Amino acid sequence: MKKRTDFSQLSCSNILDTQNKINKIPREIFHWKSSLDLFKKAI
């Protein structure tokens, strides 16, 4: 999705797919682990 996306025009599944993609991106600040990896470890 691009910046300034009107979320009211998107389906729930499209938004969830995008959230999942973002949460699975490895990040240097997390020592190349994803947000999802850290969340799963925390719970």
Side-chain angles (χ1 to χ4, degrees):
M1 279 185 250
K2 295 183 179 185
K3 290 183 180 181
R4 299 180 187 221
T5 298
D6 182 1
F7 288 92
S8 67
Q9 302 298 316
L10 299 173
S11 66
C12 287
S13 64
N14 190 292
I15 293 172
L16 290 174
D17 288 343
T18 303
Q19 283 179 329
N20 288 330
K21 287 179 187 177
I22 291 170
N23 288 330
K24 290 180 181 180
I25 297 172
R27 303 191 186 274
E28 184 177 8
I29 194 168
F30 298 143
H31 303 285
W32 300 109
K33 294 181 181 164
S34 69
S35 300
L36 183 61
D37 293 335
L38 295 174
F39 176 74
K40 285 180 178 179
K41 187 176 180 179
I43 58 172

mmCIF file of all heavy atoms in Angstrom:
data_model
loop_
_atom_site.group_PDB
_atom_site.id
_atom_site.type_symbol
_atom_site.label_atom_id
_atom_site.label_comp_id
_atom_site.label_asym_id
_atom_site.label_seq_id
_atom_site.Cartn_x
_atom_site.Cartn_y
_atom_site.Cartn_z
ATOM 1 N N MET A 1 0.836 -1.183 0.000
ATOM 2 C CA MET A 1 0.000 0.000 0.000
ATOM 3 C C MET A 1 0.879 1.243 0.000
ATOM 4 O O MET A 1 1.945 1.233 0.575
ATOM 5 C CB MET A 1 -0.883 0.012 1.239
ATOM 6 C CG MET A 1 -2.106 -0.841 1.110
ATOM 7 S SD MET A 1 -3.160 -0.664 2.526
ATOM 8 C CE MET A 1 -2.921 -2.276 3.227
ATOM 9 N N LYS A 2 0.377 2.248 -0.602
ATOM 10 C CA LYS A 2 1.097 3.509 -0.659
ATOM 11 C C LYS A 2 0.636 4.412 0.482
ATOM 12 O O LYS A 2 -0.418 4.204 1.076
ATOM 13 C CB LYS A 2 0.839 4.199 -1.988
ATOM 14 C CG LYS A 2 1.384 3.426 -3.165
ATOM 15 C CD LYS A 2 1.163 4.177 -4.442
ATOM 16 C CE LYS A 2 1.749 3.387 -5.594
ATOM 17 N NZ LYS A 2 1.671 4.119 -6.842
ATOM 18 N N LYS A 3 1.455 5.413 0.765
ATOM 19 C CA LYS A 3 1.052 6.409 1.753
ATOM 20 C C LYS A 3 -0.223 7.084 1.275
ATOM 21 O O LYS A 3 -0.504 7.151 0.088
ATOM 22 C CB LYS A 3 2.146 7.452 1.927
ATOM 23 C CG LYS A 3 3.376 6.924 2.613
ATOM 24 C CD LYS A 3 4.378 8.028 2.817
ATOM 25 C CE LYS A 3 5.612 7.502 3.501
ATOM 26 N NZ LYS A 3 6.587 8.575 3.728
ATOM 27 N N ARG A 4 -0.982 7.558 2.212
ATOM 28 C CA ARG A 4 -2.254 8.236 1.949
ATOM 29 C C ARG A 4 -3.302 7.312 1.346
ATOM 30 O O ARG A 4 -4.176 7.730 0.612
ATOM 31 C CB ARG A 4 -2.055 9.468 1.080
ATOM 32 C CG ARG A 4 -1.161 10.503 1.721
ATOM 33 C CD ARG A 4 -1.008 11.686 0.825
ATOM 34 N NE ARG A 4 -0.012 12.580 1.395
ATOM 35 C CZ ARG A 4 -0.129 13.889 1.418
ATOM 36 N NH1 ARG A 4 -1.179 14.462 0.890
ATOM 37 N NH2 ARG A 4 0.797 14.623 1.958
ATOM 38 N N THR A 5 -3.205 6.032 1.655
ATOM 39 C CA THR A 5 -4.200 5.082 1.191
ATOM 40 C C THR A 5 -5.479 5.262 1.991
ATOM 41 O O THR A 5 -5.447 5.402 3.208
ATOM 42 C CB THR A 5 -3.679 3.640 1.366
ATOM 43 O OG1 THR A 5 -2.509 3.482 0.572
ATOM 44 C CG2 THR A 5 -4.708 2.626 0.959
ATOM 45 N N ASP A 6 -6.597 5.262 1.305
ATOM 46 C CA ASP A 6 -7.897 5.355 1.959
ATOM 47 C C ASP A 6 -8.303 3.939 2.379
ATOM 48 O O ASP A 6 -8.706 3.129 1.556
ATOM 49 C CB ASP A 6 -8.917 5.954 1.006
ATOM 50 C CG ASP A 6 -10.285 6.140 1.634
ATOM 51 O OD1 ASP A 6 -10.447 5.825 2.839
ATOM 52 O OD2 ASP A 6 -11.197 6.586 0.921
ATOM 53 N N PHE A 7 -8.185 3.644 3.669
ATOM 54 C CA PHE A 7 -8.441 2.296 4.163
ATOM 55 C C PHE A 7 -9.901 1.890 4.070
ATOM 56 O O PHE A 7 -10.217 0.712 4.078
ATOM 57 C CB PHE A 7 -7.938 2.152 5.601
ATOM 58 C CG PHE A 7 -6.441 2.108 5.695
ATOM 59 C CD1 PHE A 7 -5.715 3.264 5.889
ATOM 60 C CD2 PHE A 7 -5.764 0.911 5.557
ATOM 61 C CE1 PHE A 7 -4.336 3.228 5.958
ATOM 62 C CE2 PHE A 7 -4.388 0.852 5.628
ATOM 63 C CZ PHE A 7 -3.668 2.015 5.818
ATOM 64 N N SER A 8 -10.773 2.842 3.955
ATOM 65 C CA SER A 8 -12.193 2.497 3.824
ATOM 66 C C SER A 8 -12.474 1.831 2.473
ATOM 67 O O SER A 8 -13.511 1.204 2.302
ATOM 68 C CB SER A 8 -13.067 3.732 3.999
ATOM 69 O OG SER A 8 -12.870 4.646 2.940
ATOM 70 N N GLN A 9 -11.568 1.967 1.534
ATOM 71 C CA GLN A 9 -11.731 1.371 0.212
ATOM 72 C C GLN A 9 -11.123 -0.028 0.113
ATOM 73 O O GLN A 9 -11.227 -0.681 -0.915
ATOM 74 C CB GLN A 9 -11.077 2.268 -0.852
ATOM 75 C CG GLN A 9 -11.625 3.677 -0.891
ATOM 76 C CD GLN A 9 -13.097 3.726 -1.236
ATOM 77 O OE1 GLN A 9 -13.546 3.034 -2.156
ATOM 78 N NE2 GLN A 9 -13.856 4.521 -0.509
ATOM 79 N N LEU A 10 -10.488 -0.502 1.178
ATOM 80 C CA LEU A 10 -9.820 -1.803 1.176
ATOM 81 C C LEU A 10 -10.635 -2.840 1.928
ATOM 82 O O LEU A 10 -11.343 -2.514 2.881
ATOM 83 C CB LEU A 10 -8.440 -1.689 1.818
ATOM 84 C CG LEU A 10 -7.467 -0.740 1.134
ATOM 85 C CD1 LEU A 10 -6.211 -0.598 1.964
ATOM 86 C CD2 LEU A 10 -7.144 -1.210 -0.265
ATOM 87 N N SER A 11 -10.485 -4.072 1.527
ATOM 88 C CA SER A 11 -11.168 -5.153 2.232
ATOM 89 C C SER A 11 -10.366 -5.518 3.490
ATOM 90 O O SER A 11 -9.172 -5.238 3.587
ATOM 91 C CB SER A 11 -11.278 -6.384 1.333
ATOM 92 O OG SER A 11 -9.998 -6.917 1.078
ATOM 93 N N CYS A 12 -11.041 -6.154 4.424
ATOM 94 C CA CYS A 12 -10.374 -6.579 5.656
ATOM 95 C C CYS A 12 -9.245 -7.561 5.356
ATOM 96 O O CYS A 12 -8.172 -7.485 5.963
ATOM 97 C CB CYS A 12 -11.368 -7.221 6.613
ATOM 98 S SG CYS A 12 -12.466 -6.046 7.394
ATOM 99 N N SER A 13 -9.459 -8.452 4.413
ATOM 100 C CA SER A 13 -8.421 -9.426 4.091
ATOM 101 C C SER A 13 -7.198 -8.757 3.475
ATOM 102 O O SER A 13 -6.061 -9.158 3.740
ATOM 103 C CB SER A 13 -8.955 -10.517 3.162
ATOM 104 O OG SER A 13 -9.338 -9.972 1.933
ATOM 105 N N ASN A 14 -7.411 -7.711 2.704
ATOM 106 C CA ASN A 14 -6.291 -6.980 2.120
ATOM 107 C C ASN A 14 -5.469 -6.295 3.207
ATOM 108 O O ASN A 14 -4.244 -6.312 3.176
ATOM 109 C CB ASN A 14 -6.808 -5.948 1.107
ATOM 110 C CG ASN A 14 -5.714 -5.333 0.290
ATOM 111 O OD1 ASN A 14 -4.902 -4.593 0.820
ATOM 112 N ND2 ASN A 14 -5.705 -5.622 -1.003
ATOM 113 N N ILE A 15 -6.144 -5.706 4.158
ATOM 114 C CA ILE A 15 -5.459 -5.041 5.272
ATOM 115 C C ILE A 15 -4.698 -6.064 6.107
ATOM 116 O O ILE A 15 -3.533 -5.848 6.464
ATOM 117 C CB ILE A 15 -6.460 -4.250 6.142
ATOM 118 C CG1 ILE A 15 -7.011 -3.081 5.328
ATOM 119 C CG2 ILE A 15 -5.800 -3.755 7.423
ATOM 120 C CD1 ILE A 15 -8.139 -2.336 5.997
ATOM 121 N N LEU A 16 -5.302 -7.209 6.394
ATOM 122 C CA LEU A 16 -4.629 -8.251 7.175
ATOM 123 C C LEU A 16 -3.413 -8.814 6.449
ATOM 124 O O LEU A 16 -2.376 -9.065 7.068
ATOM 125 C CB LEU A 16 -5.611 -9.364 7.525
ATOM 126 C CG LEU A 16 -6.675 -9.000 8.537
ATOM 127 C CD1 LEU A 16 -7.680 -10.146 8.677
ATOM 128 C CD2 LEU A 16 -6.072 -8.655 9.876
ATOM 129 N N ASP A 17 -3.517 -8.995 5.151
ATOM 130 C CA ASP A 17 -2.378 -9.467 4.357
ATOM 131 C C ASP A 17 -1.210 -8.492 4.447
ATOM 132 O O ASP A 17 -0.060 -8.890 4.617
ATOM 133 C CB ASP A 17 -2.767 -9.656 2.890
ATOM 134 C CG ASP A 17 -3.658 -10.848 2.652
ATOM 135 O OD1 ASP A 17 -3.727 -11.735 3.545
ATOM 136 O OD2 ASP A 17 -4.286 -10.895 1.589
ATOM 137 N N THR A 18 -1.517 -7.209 4.352
ATOM 138 C CA THR A 18 -0.478 -6.182 4.436
ATOM 139 C C THR A 18 0.143 -6.150 5.829
ATOM 140 O O THR A 18 1.366 -6.049 5.968
ATOM 141 C CB THR A 18 -1.052 -4.803 4.065
ATOM 142 O OG1 THR A 18 -1.615 -4.876 2.754
ATOM 143 C CG2 THR A 18 0.019 -3.738 4.089
ATOM 144 N N GLN A 19 -0.669 -6.274 6.863
ATOM 145 C CA GLN A 19 -0.151 -6.317 8.229
ATOM 146 C C GLN A 19 0.794 -7.492 8.404
ATOM 147 O O GLN A 19 1.869 -7.342 9.003
ATOM 148 C CB GLN A 19 -1.289 -6.449 9.241
ATOM 149 C CG GLN A 19 -2.045 -5.196 9.502
ATOM 150 C CD GLN A 19 -3.179 -5.422 10.490
ATOM 151 O OE1 GLN A 19 -3.763 -6.504 10.561
ATOM 152 N NE2 GLN A 19 -3.504 -4.404 11.249
ATOM 153 N N ASN A 20 0.417 -8.636 7.893
ATOM 154 C CA ASN A 20 1.258 -9.825 8.010
ATOM 155 C C ASN A 20 2.580 -9.650 7.287
ATOM 156 O O ASN A 20 3.633 -10.043 7.806
ATOM 157 C CB ASN A 20 0.524 -11.063 7.491
ATOM 158 C CG ASN A 20 -0.571 -11.498 8.426
ATOM 159 O OD1 ASN A 20 -0.485 -11.294 9.633
ATOM 160 N ND2 ASN A 20 -1.604 -12.094 7.877
ATOM 161 N N LYS A 21 2.549 -9.064 6.099
ATOM 162 C CA LYS A 21 3.787 -8.816 5.359
ATOM 163 C C LYS A 21 4.714 -7.898 6.151
ATOM 164 O O LYS A 21 5.918 -8.146 6.243
ATOM 165 C CB LYS A 21 3.488 -8.203 3.992
ATOM 166 C CG LYS A 21 2.913 -9.180 3.012
ATOM 167 C CD LYS A 21 2.611 -8.500 1.695
ATOM 168 C CE LYS A 21 1.862 -9.436 0.766
ATOM 169 N NZ LYS A 21 1.483 -8.775 -0.495
ATOM 170 N N ILE A 22 4.167 -6.833 6.702
ATOM 171 C CA ILE A 22 4.964 -5.869 7.474
ATOM 172 C C ILE A 22 5.549 -6.536 8.715
ATOM 173 O O ILE A 22 6.727 -6.350 9.038
ATOM 174 C CB ILE A 22 4.122 -4.633 7.855
ATOM 175 C CG1 ILE A 22 3.797 -3.821 6.604
ATOM 176 C CG2 ILE A 22 4.827 -3.782 8.904
ATOM 177 C CD1 ILE A 22 2.777 -2.723 6.820
ATOM 178 N N ASN A 23 4.750 -7.322 9.421
ATOM 179 C CA ASN A 23 5.207 -7.944 10.661
ATOM 180 C C ASN A 23 6.229 -9.052 10.448
ATOM 181 O O ASN A 23 6.923 -9.446 11.383
ATOM 182 C CB ASN A 23 4.026 -8.479 11.457
ATOM 183 C CG ASN A 23 3.224 -7.353 12.073
ATOM 184 O OD1 ASN A 23 3.755 -6.301 12.389
ATOM 185 N ND2 ASN A 23 1.942 -7.578 12.229
ATOM 186 N N LYS A 24 6.349 -9.562 9.220
ATOM 187 C CA LYS A 24 7.307 -10.623 8.926
ATOM 188 C C LYS A 24 8.644 -10.102 8.393
ATOM 189 O O LYS A 24 9.559 -10.880 8.167
ATOM 190 C CB LYS A 24 6.706 -11.601 7.919
ATOM 191 C CG LYS A 24 5.588 -12.424 8.499
ATOM 192 C CD LYS A 24 5.013 -13.376 7.474
ATOM 193 C CE LYS A 24 3.878 -14.177 8.047
ATOM 194 N NZ LYS A 24 3.312 -15.094 7.045
ATOM 195 N N ILE A 25 8.777 -8.788 8.222
ATOM 196 C CA ILE A 25 10.017 -8.211 7.692
ATOM 197 C C ILE A 25 11.092 -8.232 8.786
ATOM 198 O O ILE A 25 10.897 -7.678 9.868
ATOM 199 C CB ILE A 25 9.796 -6.757 7.231
ATOM 200 C CG1 ILE A 25 8.794 -6.698 6.085
ATOM 201 C CG2 ILE A 25 11.120 -6.104 6.838
ATOM 202 C CD1 ILE A 25 8.369 -5.288 5.704
ATOM 203 N N PRO A 26 12.240 -8.873 8.528
ATOM 204 C CA PRO A 26 13.340 -8.836 9.504
ATOM 205 C C PRO A 26 13.895 -7.408 9.610
ATOM 206 O O PRO A 26 14.032 -6.716 8.603
ATOM 207 C CB PRO A 26 14.391 -9.768 8.895
ATOM 208 C CG PRO A 26 13.720 -10.510 7.822
ATOM 209 C CD PRO A 26 12.556 -9.689 7.375
ATOM 210 N N ARG A 27 14.187 -6.997 10.824
ATOM 211 C CA ARG A 27 14.655 -5.629 11.043
ATOM 212 C C ARG A 27 16.003 -5.631 11.774
ATOM 213 O O ARG A 27 16.215 -6.382 12.707
ATOM 214 C CB ARG A 27 13.634 -4.846 11.850
ATOM 215 C CG ARG A 27 12.279 -4.844 11.160
ATOM 216 C CD ARG A 27 11.330 -3.872 11.792
ATOM 217 N NE ARG A 27 10.006 -3.993 11.203
ATOM 218 C CZ ARG A 27 9.623 -3.352 10.107
ATOM 219 N NH1 ARG A 27 10.452 -2.546 9.490
ATOM 220 N NH2 ARG A 27 8.406 -3.517 9.637
ATOM 221 N N GLU A 28 16.873 -4.771 11.299
ATOM 222 C CA GLU A 28 18.213 -4.682 11.881
ATOM 223 C C GLU A 28 18.146 -4.333 13.367
ATOM 224 O O GLU A 28 18.898 -4.884 14.172
ATOM 225 C CB GLU A 28 19.036 -3.640 11.127
ATOM 226 C CG GLU A 28 20.472 -3.549 11.608
ATOM 227 C CD GLU A 28 21.301 -2.572 10.812
ATOM 228 O OE1 GLU A 28 20.761 -1.838 9.965
ATOM 229 O OE2 GLU A 28 22.514 -2.536 11.060
ATOM 230 N N ILE A 29 17.240 -3.437 13.735
ATOM 231 C CA ILE A 29 17.126 -3.005 15.131
ATOM 232 C C ILE A 29 16.771 -4.178 16.057
ATOM 233 O O ILE A 29 17.069 -4.154 17.241
ATOM 234 C CB ILE A 29 16.106 -1.849 15.268
ATOM 235 C CG1 ILE A 29 16.236 -1.171 16.622
ATOM 236 C CG2 ILE A 29 14.686 -2.340 15.035
ATOM 237 C CD1 ILE A 29 15.493 0.128 16.740
ATOM 238 N N PHE A 30 16.144 -5.203 15.510
ATOM 239 C CA PHE A 30 15.782 -6.398 16.276
ATOM 240 C C PHE A 30 16.764 -7.539 16.012
ATOM 241 O O PHE A 30 16.420 -8.708 16.184
ATOM 242 C CB PHE A 30 14.366 -6.862 15.934
ATOM 243 C CG PHE A 30 13.288 -5.872 16.256
ATOM 244 C CD1 PHE A 30 12.191 -5.742 15.411
ATOM 245 C CD2 PHE A 30 13.335 -5.072 17.379
ATOM 246 C CE1 PHE A 30 11.172 -4.843 15.692
ATOM 247 C CE2 PHE A 30 12.327 -4.167 17.670
ATOM 248 C CZ PHE A 30 11.248 -4.051 16.820
ATOM 249 N N HIS A 31 17.981 -7.192 15.573
ATOM 250 C CA HIS A 31 19.010 -8.197 15.260
ATOM 251 C C HIS A 31 18.514 -9.170 14.206
ATOM 252 O O HIS A 31 18.689 -10.372 14.308
ATOM 253 C CB HIS A 31 19.481 -8.926 16.521
ATOM 254 C CG HIS A 31 19.999 -8.007 17.568
ATOM 255 N ND1 HIS A 31 21.229 -7.405 17.481
ATOM 256 C CD2 HIS A 31 19.428 -7.547 18.708
ATOM 257 C CE1 HIS A 31 21.413 -6.624 18.545
ATOM 258 N NE2 HIS A 31 20.327 -6.692 19.297
ATOM 259 N N TRP A 32 17.908 -8.613 13.186
ATOM 260 C CA TRP A 32 17.416 -9.332 12.006
ATOM 261 C C TRP A 32 16.326 -10.343 12.323
ATOM 262 O O TRP A 32 16.152 -11.327 11.640
ATOM 263 C CB TRP A 32 18.553 -9.955 11.207
ATOM 264 C CG TRP A 32 19.484 -8.883 10.747
ATOM 265 C CD1 TRP A 32 20.749 -8.661 11.205
ATOM 266 C CD2 TRP A 32 19.212 -7.832 9.804
ATOM 267 N NE1 TRP A 32 21.278 -7.552 10.587
ATOM 268 C CE2 TRP A 32 20.356 -7.026 9.725
ATOM 269 C CE3 TRP A 32 18.110 -7.509 9.020
ATOM 270 C CZ2 TRP A 32 20.424 -5.908 8.898
ATOM 271 C CZ3 TRP A 32 18.186 -6.397 8.192
ATOM 272 C CH2 TRP A 32 19.339 -5.618 8.135
ATOM 273 N N LYS A 33 15.562 -10.060 13.359
ATOM 274 C CA LYS A 33 14.359 -10.836 13.647
ATOM 275 C C LYS A 33 13.158 -9.967 13.291
ATOM 276 O O LYS A 33 13.240 -8.748 13.285
ATOM 277 C CB LYS A 33 14.312 -11.236 15.115
ATOM 278 C CG LYS A 33 15.421 -12.190 15.491
ATOM 279 C CD LYS A 33 15.349 -12.586 16.916
ATOM 280 C CE LYS A 33 16.514 -13.521 17.207
ATOM 281 N NZ LYS A 33 16.751 -13.677 18.603
ATOM 282 N N SER A 34 12.055 -10.606 13.016
ATOM 283 C CA SER A 34 10.848 -9.850 12.677
ATOM 284 C C SER A 34 10.053 -9.519 13.942
ATOM 285 O O SER A 34 10.252 -10.124 15.000
ATOM 286 C CB SER A 34 9.974 -10.656 11.725
ATOM 287 O OG SER A 34 9.422 -11.766 12.392
ATOM 288 N N SER A 35 9.145 -8.583 13.799
ATOM 289 C CA SER A 35 8.251 -8.241 14.906
ATOM 290 C C SER A 35 7.435 -9.453 15.318
ATOM 291 O O SER A 35 7.198 -9.688 16.506
ATOM 292 C CB SER A 35 7.307 -7.118 14.509
ATOM 293 O OG SER A 35 8.021 -5.977 14.164
ATOM 294 N N LEU A 36 7.024 -10.233 14.339
ATOM 295 C CA LEU A 36 6.233 -11.441 14.609
ATOM 296 C C LEU A 36 7.042 -12.450 15.426
ATOM 297 O O LEU A 36 6.533 -13.029 16.383
ATOM 298 C CB LEU A 36 5.751 -12.068 13.307
ATOM 299 C CG LEU A 36 4.859 -13.281 13.427
ATOM 300 C CD1 LEU A 36 3.578 -12.944 14.180
ATOM 301 C CD2 LEU A 36 4.539 -13.833 12.038
ATOM 302 N N ASP A 37 8.312 -12.646 15.073
ATOM 303 C CA ASP A 37 9.181 -13.561 15.825
ATOM 304 C C ASP A 37 9.285 -13.134 17.284
ATOM 305 O O ASP A 37 9.171 -13.953 18.198
ATOM 306 C CB ASP A 37 10.585 -13.620 15.229
ATOM 307 C CG ASP A 37 10.624 -14.246 13.857
ATOM 308 O OD1 ASP A 37 9.720 -15.037 13.539
ATOM 309 O OD2 ASP A 37 11.577 -13.934 13.109
ATOM 310 N N LEU A 38 9.496 -11.845 17.502
ATOM 311 C CA LEU A 38 9.647 -11.350 18.869
ATOM 312 C C LEU A 38 8.344 -11.454 19.649
ATOM 313 O O LEU A 38 8.340 -11.770 20.835
ATOM 314 C CB LEU A 38 10.140 -9.908 18.847
ATOM 315 C CG LEU A 38 11.534 -9.712 18.264
ATOM 316 C CD1 LEU A 38 11.871 -8.232 18.157
ATOM 317 C CD2 LEU A 38 12.574 -10.445 19.090
ATOM 318 N N PHE A 39 7.230 -11.194 18.987
ATOM 319 C CA PHE A 39 5.922 -11.305 19.626
ATOM 320 C C PHE A 39 5.661 -12.745 20.054
ATOM 321 O O PHE A 39 5.250 -13.007 21.187
ATOM 322 C CB PHE A 39 4.819 -10.817 18.693
ATOM 323 C CG PHE A 39 3.438 -10.991 19.254
ATOM 324 C CD1 PHE A 39 2.984 -10.160 20.259
ATOM 325 C CD2 PHE A 39 2.606 -11.981 18.785
ATOM 326 C CE1 PHE A 39 1.709 -10.310 20.786
ATOM 327 C CE2 PHE A 39 1.331 -12.154 19.303
ATOM 328 C CZ PHE A 39 0.888 -11.310 20.302
ATOM 329 N N LYS A 40 5.922 -13.683 19.146
ATOM 330 C CA LYS A 40 5.694 -15.099 19.463
ATOM 331 C C LYS A 40 6.574 -15.541 20.629
ATOM 332 O O LYS A 40 6.145 -16.341 21.465
ATOM 333 C CB LYS A 40 5.968 -15.974 18.242
ATOM 334 C CG LYS A 40 4.888 -15.902 17.199
ATOM 335 C CD LYS A 40 5.228 -16.787 16.018
ATOM 336 C CE LYS A 40 4.150 -16.780 14.976
ATOM 337 N NZ LYS A 40 4.507 -17.631 13.819
ATOM 338 N N LYS A 41 7.791 -15.029 20.697
ATOM 339 C CA LYS A 41 8.700 -15.397 21.779
ATOM 340 C C LYS A 41 8.214 -14.831 23.121
ATOM 341 O O LYS A 41 8.393 -15.440 24.163
ATOM 342 C CB LYS A 41 10.103 -14.904 21.464
ATOM 343 C CG LYS A 41 11.143 -15.373 22.430
ATOM 344 C CD LYS A 41 12.537 -14.925 22.004
ATOM 345 C CE LYS A 41 13.567 -15.414 23.000
ATOM 346 N NZ LYS A 41 14.911 -15.010 22.603
ATOM 347 N N ALA A 42 7.596 -13.658 23.062
ATOM 348 C CA ALA A 42 7.154 -12.969 24.282
ATOM 349 C C ALA A 42 5.915 -13.616 24.909
ATOM 350 O O ALA A 42 5.698 -13.501 26.113
ATOM 351 C CB ALA A 42 6.877 -11.500 23.997
ATOM 352 N N ILE A 43 5.095 -14.274 24.088
ATOM 353 C CA ILE A 43 3.864 -14.837 24.658
ATOM 354 C C ILE A 43 3.993 -16.290 25.005
ATOM 355 O O ILE A 43 4.861 -16.972 24.946
ATOM 356 C CB ILE A 43 2.641 -14.678 23.731
ATOM 357 C CG1 ILE A 43 2.867 -15.334 22.371
ATOM 358 C CG2 ILE A 43 2.303 -13.233 23.564
ATOM 359 C CD1 ILE A 43 1.613 -15.371 21.516
#
